[in-house]
Amino acid sequence: MAADADVLKSLERNGDDPTIKRPVDVRFVGQVGNIVKLQNEIGALGWRVVQRVPVDGGEMALDVQTDQTTDRAAIRNLTEAALSVEEKYGVRYDGWGTVATKP
């Protein structure tokens, strides 16, 4: 995805070592009921809940985290998993982020 490429380029510019495992944050947005259901089940998918917060339009955001590298294959897998969650739970995948990790 183009958005993934932009984040990866930014990490690279900031000296990131993509082989280092670190927390990667992911955000999902949707109707409260869908977000609550996802929150209750996200642990089984290997992610942990960071927070649930209200957003504009009466929706909720669920911020989750997983520990992984940021090499292109790992990020592609993360995005594919997030898009799968999006479809299964009726929420929107709003992207991922992490800090540059240097050796």
Side-chain angles (χ1 to χ4, degrees):
M1 294 184 76
D4 289 346
D6 290 344
V7 176
L8 290 172
K9 284 179 190 173
S10 176
L11 288 170
E12 186 179 330
R13 280 193 307 273
N14 286 292
D16 185 60
D17 179 347
T19 66
I20 298 174
K21 197 174 200 181
R22 87 291 304 274
V24 176
D25 301 313
V26 176
R27 176 169 270 200
F28 296 99
V29 178
Q31 296 301 312
V32 174
N34 294 348
I35 290 292
V36 169
K37 182 177 181 187
L38 176 58
Q39 180 178 357
N40 291 334
E41 298 177 10
I42 197 79
L45 302 174
W47 295 345
R48 59 191 171 274
V49 173
V50 175
Q51 67 179 350
R52 188 178 78 193
V53 294
V55 294
D56 294 338
E59 293 185 312
M60 294 292 288
L62 182 65
D63 296 329
V64 298
Q65 199 172 68
T66 187
D67 296 323
Q68 68 169 69
T69 62
T70 57
D71 60 84
R72 293 191 187 285
I75 294 302
R76 183 174 42 255
N77 290 338
L78 173 79
T79 298
E80 288 172 1
L83 292 172
S84 209
V85 165
E86 181 181 69
E87 185 176 327
K88 180 177 180 181
Y89 291 90
V91 296
R92 287 187 318 281
Y93 167 52
D94 198 41
W96 65 274
T98 191
V99 296
T101 304
K102 299 177 183 179

